[in-house]
Amino acid sequence: MKLQVSQPQGLRARPCAGVLRVHPRRHTVSVSAVASEPRLVVPASLQGASTWSPTSWRSKPALQQPEYLDQSEVVKACEEIARMPPLIFAGECRTLQQRLAKAATGEAFVLFGGDCAEAFSQFSANRIRDLYRLLLQMSTVLAFGGGVPIVKLGRIAGQFAKPRSAPTETINGVTLPAYRGDIINGPEFTEEARRCDPWRLVRAYNQSAATLNLLRGFSYGGYAGLSRVSQWNLDFMKNTPEGHAYMDIAKRVDEAIQFMIACGMDTNMPFMRETEFYTCHECLLLDYEEALTRLDSTTDRWYGCSAHFLWCGERTRQLDHAHVEFMRGVNNPIGVKVSDKMDPNDIVTLIAMLNPTNKPGRLSIIVRMGARKLRERMPALIEAVRRSGQVVTWVCDPMHGNTETVTGYKTRRYENIRSEIEAFFDVHELMGTVPGGVHLEMTGDNVTECIGGGASVSEDDLNSRYHTHCDPRLNAEQSLEIAFYVAQRLRQRRENLAAKAAAASS
């Protein structure tokens, strides 16, 4: 890659222009992962006359950005990051896009999982390993039940920053800036810790590089080989119902491998020894993202090299704002989080801006609504996208629409998380469309942050092992239980499709 990176600058903002809407044409086109000419033209006022550069976002309003005291230090920190190697490579992004295109048609399924926000203080090889092998376990369960390849994306090696609903926090009459993630400031409620420090950007880059180094070693060094499937169980999971259920699947996988070896299969084939694993995070801190935007010398296209997959959050997806402007120009596969507030006309316009050539696998729509609102609001979004002929991968985030406060702790109930996933599959079944993936905040640690599930975490247990610096995460047992439920729905969908195909051919 050629390291062409622009000089970091301070943020500049201008008044927000009115949002323009494009209405989809009134005819139905089935969604398929076949590229076609885009049917919608985005107004030039929103496209910025179609010009883009890694710095063009600076001409638009940028929300959720830290307020640094010394902009010259921000420039120095970003210049140092710009001199560093990319964290990921353009060819990996292109491969991931191909995998996500398969998920759009039901030929694969996507599993996003990891911390709400990574923390400097919790950084360790063991924690990385435990999350990684939990994701391997879950992907094994999903592949075994669904009969399709599982695309694994970790919320890791870059998921540090968090958008906040308020810029400040008040405790006992003292008001300080809100904690925005370790990449910006510290969680301790002191004036010094809450001060935004631009050199935390460099520390986050270094931790991400070390994390990716370990993940690549796990993925291609034999740890993720199918012959080790029975060794991925976490120690504290061995005597749980989910742990036993997983070991039953692992045993059957081992037996299938032994049978294939007896039939002459070569155990040195790459799929037996390696696995693909990708990283993702919210594209929030635009100074950081700009510093890691590089020009791929093989294609002459720009890529965001902080992660394989970037997504735009619910709070920063305004059509004429900086985050959408930045993301429309990088060639990574990308996603957008949408809640029940998303208007069907606006989602069509947003998709047209971010994926104007309608390239399969380029864009994932990550829905976060809560079970009841999802059943009410998601069908209209699906229909608008289908009528426009746009290709997206639909993903369910059952976490962010189900957060509540219990006994002073921010938490989520397992039953509500599962209910939203259930609603997601039900709506797609009703609409005849494809459920493409799930997006979970989870950890390989034995925490007590979400209530319920087979782990039987009660409200009184929240203060036992509540370790998150931000939002509550599913623990390993709860995560694996979710995987078994999703596998059941994937198997059910596969059987229904097979029955319909048989009926149609008879």
Side-chain angles (χ1 to χ4, degrees):
M1 287 188 170
K2 294 184 287 187
L3 303 186
Q4 293 194 12
V5 185
S6 56
Q7 180 81 355
Q9 305 171 27
L11 289 176
R12 297 195 299 273
R14 67 182 185 188
C16 175
V19 174
L20 301 181
R21 293 180 178 175
V22 176
H23 292 269
R25 296 188 178 186
R26 304 297 181 186
H27 61 275
T28 300
V29 179
S30 60
V31 175
S32 62
V34 178
S36 59
E37 289 296 321
R39 300 183 180 180
L40 299 167
V41 178
V42 179
S45 60
L46 290 180
Q47 286 189 4
S50 297
T51 59
W52 186 90
S53 75
T55 61
S56 60
W57 65 269
R58 294 183 179 276
S59 66
K60 298 181 180 293
L63 303 182
Q64 297 287 337
Q65 302 304 290
E67 296 181 2
Y68 294 109
L69 296 179
D70 188 345
Q71 283 294 322
S72 66
E73 290 298 300
V74 179
V75 171
K76 290 177 184 177
C78 289
E79 285 177 340
E80 182 164 331
I81 294 171
R83 289 191 294 267
M84 300 288 192
L87 291 172
I88 57 87
F89 304 103
E92 296 171 331
C93 295
R94 289 190 286 271
T95 300
L96 174 59
Q97 183 165 309
Q98 294 169 7
R99 306 293 185 258
L100 294 172
K102 293 289 187 182
T105 59
E107 299 170 85
F109 191 79
V110 191
L111 172 63
F112 295 83
D115 274 321
C116 166
E118 295 173 88
F120 293 159
S121 62
Q122 296 177 358
F123 176 55
S124 75
N126 286 346
R127 279 200 169 94
I128 297 168
R129 177 204 61 202
D130 288 349
L131 173 63
Y132 181 82
R133 62 178 175 175
L134 176 58
L135 286 166
L136 290 180
Q137 282 186 283
M138 295 173 70
S139 64
T140 300
V141 171
L142 293 172
F144 196 86
V148 293
I150 306 302
V151 185
K152 298 176 287 296
L153 287 119
R155 293 171 54 107
I156 195 169
Q159 180 54 26
F160 290 100
K162 293 297 292 183
R164 310 311 309 187
S165 56
T168 60
E169 179 183 5
T170 301
I171 299 178
N172 297 327
V174 178
T175 300
L176 293 174
Y179 171 60
R180 291 179 173 273
D182 279 11
I183 195 171
I184 298 172
N185 57 6
E188 301 82 9
F189 195 73
T190 66
E191 185 175 351
E192 181 180 3
R194 293 299 175 89
R195 186 180 299 117
C196 299
D197 179 3
W199 291 100
R200 284 174 171 263
L201 297 168
V202 178
R203 184 173 177 182
Y205 169 88
N206 290 331
Q207 181 169 318
S208 298
T211 300
L212 272 161
N213 183 56
L214 189 58
L215 291 172
R216 293 184 194 280
F218 286 150
S219 297
Y220 299 106
Y223 186 87
L226 281 176
S227 61
R228 293 179 54 88
V229 68
S230 61
Q231 300 176 44
W232 296 335
N233 217 1
L234 295 160
D235 293 338
F236 61 85
M237 290 281 291
K238 290 179 179 176
N239 295 320
T240 66
E242 287 70 34
H244 289 306
Y246 172 75
M247 289 307 296
D248 179 61
I249 287 180
K251 180 180 178 181
R252 295 160 72 181
V253 170
D254 284 337
E255 291 172 348
I257 290 173
Q258 291 304 314
F259 172 75
M260 293 304 294
I261 290 173
C263 292
M265 182 183 70
D266 183 2
T267 58
N268 290 318
M269 296 177 70
F271 80 89
M272 286 293 297
R273 297 180 289 106
E274 303 171 355
T275 192
E276 292 179 5
F277 189 88
Y278 302 96
T279 61
C280 64
H281 65 250
E282 181 175 357
C283 177
L284 190 62
L285 294 185
L286 295 177
D287 284 312
Y288 179 79
E289 300 298 342
E290 179 190 318
L292 281 166
T293 303
R294 310 293 165 86
L295 189 66
D296 175 31
S297 58
T298 64
T299 63
D300 204 35
R301 293 177 180 272
W302 291 99
Y303 283 83
C305 293
S306 62
H308 300 101
F309 181 102
L310 300 169
W311 76 82
C312 188
E314 165 73 9
R315 293 184 176 96
T316 56
R317 58 169 173 76
Q318 294 82 1
L319 294 170
D320 54 356
H321 278 43
H323 290 83
V324 169
E325 170 62 22
F326 176 81
M327 290 188 68
R328 77 180 182 90
V330 293
N331 282 272
N332 308 56
I334 58 175
V336 178
K337 293 276 190 87
V338 302
S339 72
D340 59 295
K341 300 180 182 69
M342 173 59 85
D343 182 272
N345 297 310
D346 288 344
I347 196 172
V348 169
T349 306
L350 181 59
I351 293 169
M353 290 181 67
L354 294 175
N355 189 18
T357 60
N358 208 21
K359 191 169 186 177
R362 157 69 172 171
L363 184 61
S364 297
I365 300 298
I366 307 169
V367 183
R368 41 152 293 181
M369 296 183 181
R372 181 181 61 80
K373 290 181 179 179
L374 187 146
R375 291 183 186 276
E376 295 171 355
R377 299 288 297 165
M378 188 174 168
L381 299 182
I382 292 176
E383 184 60 23
V385 173
R386 179 161 57 184
R387 285 174 182 259
S388 71
Q390 294 168 321
V391 179
V392 301
T393 304
W394 293 99
V395 177
C396 175
D397 170 359
M399 309 300 292
H400 288 88
N402 295 299
T403 307
E404 59 184 278
T405 300
V406 176
T407 64
Y409 290 92
K410 187 188 286 189
T411 189
R412 292 154 174 160
R413 298 182 188 274
Y414 173 88
E415 290 74 17
N416 293 337
I417 293 169
R418 173 174 160 158
S419 292
E420 183 159 356
I421 296 173
E422 180 181 26
F424 178 74
F425 275 90
D426 286 350
V427 167
H428 278 292
E429 185 176 354
L430 178 68
M431 302 290 292
T433 48
V434 178
V438 291
H439 191 131
L440 305 173
E441 290 187 342
M442 48 174 271
T443 175
D445 297 340
N446 189 20
V447 300
T448 55
E449 297 169 2
C450 291
I451 298 170
S456 300
V457 177
S458 68
E459 295 181 3
D460 294 335
D461 293 325
L462 289 175
N463 66 354
S464 175
R465 295 183 300 280
Y466 194 95
H467 298 154
T468 183
H469 283 181
C470 201
D471 289 341
R473 304 160 295 176
L474 295 167
N475 63 27
E477 189 173 351
Q478 292 165 330
S479 300
L480 201 53
E481 190 172 353
I482 287 290
F484 276 107
Y485 174 72
V486 174
Q488 174 191 327
R489 293 303 303 256
L490 289 174
R491 182 187 301 110
Q492 188 178 66
R493 180 176 184 276
R494 183 182 62 185
E495 292 171 350
N496 289 343
L497 290 174
K500 290 178 181 177
S505 62
S506 61

